[in-house]
Amino acid sequence: MPARAAATAKGAADPQARSPVSSAAPRKRSRKPLAEVLGEKRVAGLRINLESMALVSNIHRASGFIRDHFERAILGEADLHWSAFVTLWCLWIYGELETRRLAAEAGVAKSTLSSILNMLEGRKLVRRRTNELERRLVIVNLTASGAELISSLFPKFNAEETRIVARLGPKQIQAATDAIRLILATIADLDGMNESE
């Protein structure tokens, strides 16, 4: 576990008991981060589409902030990092998966997945077995302990998801979700990927 997560986990209060971000709180107008302001200045005169640059760069920033925040606030108590949690989540929702598919679903390289599975298997949260029909393939599934951990952890995770979007109204949440899904579908088309694979 990252040192920052360990330090936070030791003294952290129950995430369910933390003060919520009220949806009734004033919706602050978001400000451009300094990196975005400086980026716009740097590319001035290069015929750059600033709107698409701002959207993609803010998705990147948000994903990093979300990952770090959840590791500190929620996952530290279970001694998990983000990629390990996502691996458990994928196995929880899909059931058993072959390692190549699991790596793709978790968004990690196969070599990284191997390290994650070593750690999770050492904690008896997952098990691996060789595919009986194709010996080169390895199948991974949750153990009873792994299923118990993810099912007890996810309600806390979702409570935090709710907290971080609390300043958005239902229509804003749906619009943001739809926009990100469309971006993902566009990337899949550009890369020649089948989203269902």
Side-chain angles (χ1 to χ4, degrees):
M1 175 171 54
R4 66 179 186 279
T8 307
K10 287 179 183 173
D14 179 357
Q16 301 283 21
R18 291 161 3 144
S19 60
V21 175
S22 171
S23 58
R27 292 199 174 113
K28 298 179 180 177
R29 177 132 180 102
S30 58
R31 293 187 328 192
K32 288 184 182 179
L34 179 59
E36 192 174 331
V37 174
L38 295 176
E40 289 179 1
K41 290 180 180 178
R42 174 61 65 188
V43 302
L46 296 181
R47 304 178 80 175
I48 299 298
N49 184 320
L50 295 179
E51 290 79 13
S52 58
M53 183 180 88
L55 178 56
V56 172
S57 65
N58 278 292
I59 289 172
H60 170 72
R61 284 171 50 81
S63 66
F65 274 58
I66 289 168
R67 179 180 181 134
D68 289 348
H69 174 77
F70 277 82
E71 284 185 344
R72 287 192 309 271
I74 304 297
L75 303 180
E77 70 176 73
D79 198 16
L80 293 172
H81 55 73
W82 179 268
S83 296
F85 170 79
V86 173
T87 299
L88 292 175
W89 162 260
C90 290
L91 293 170
W92 192 42
I93 62 171
Y94 283 105
E96 65 180 24
L97 287 172
E98 187 269 319
T99 52
R100 181 175 46 199
R101 171 77 185 274
L102 180 55
E105 292 293 340
V108 297
K110 282 191 71 176
S111 57
T112 302
L113 179 65
S114 180
S115 297
I116 294 169
L117 293 178
N118 286 341
M119 181 271 288
L120 294 175
E121 200 168 35
R123 292 178 58 182
K124 300 188 177 359
L125 300 175
V126 303
R127 69 171 65 87
R128 286 179 272 197
R129 62 180 171 80
T130 303
N131 186 317
E132 295 175 3
L133 299 176
E134 177 54 74
R135 306 294 294 176
R136 293 177 302 167
L137 301 180
V138 176
I139 307 296
V140 186
N141 63 288
L142 291 177
T143 62
S145 296
E148 182 180 354
L149 174 61
I150 189 69
S151 61
S152 66
L153 187 59
F154 189 71
K156 298 174 186 177
F157 188 94
N158 180 248
E160 199 64 17
E161 289 176 318
T162 303
R163 287 182 78 238
I164 68 172
V165 301
R167 289 178 178 162
L168 300 176
K171 290 183 179 178
Q172 290 175 302
I173 291 173
Q174 189 60 58
T177 301
D178 290 344
I180 291 172
R181 285 175 180 156
L182 186 55
I183 290 169
L184 292 172
T186 302
I187 293 170
D189 287 345
L190 291 170
D191 290 348
M193 295 163 46
N194 182 342
E195 285 185 284
S196 66
E197 289 180 352

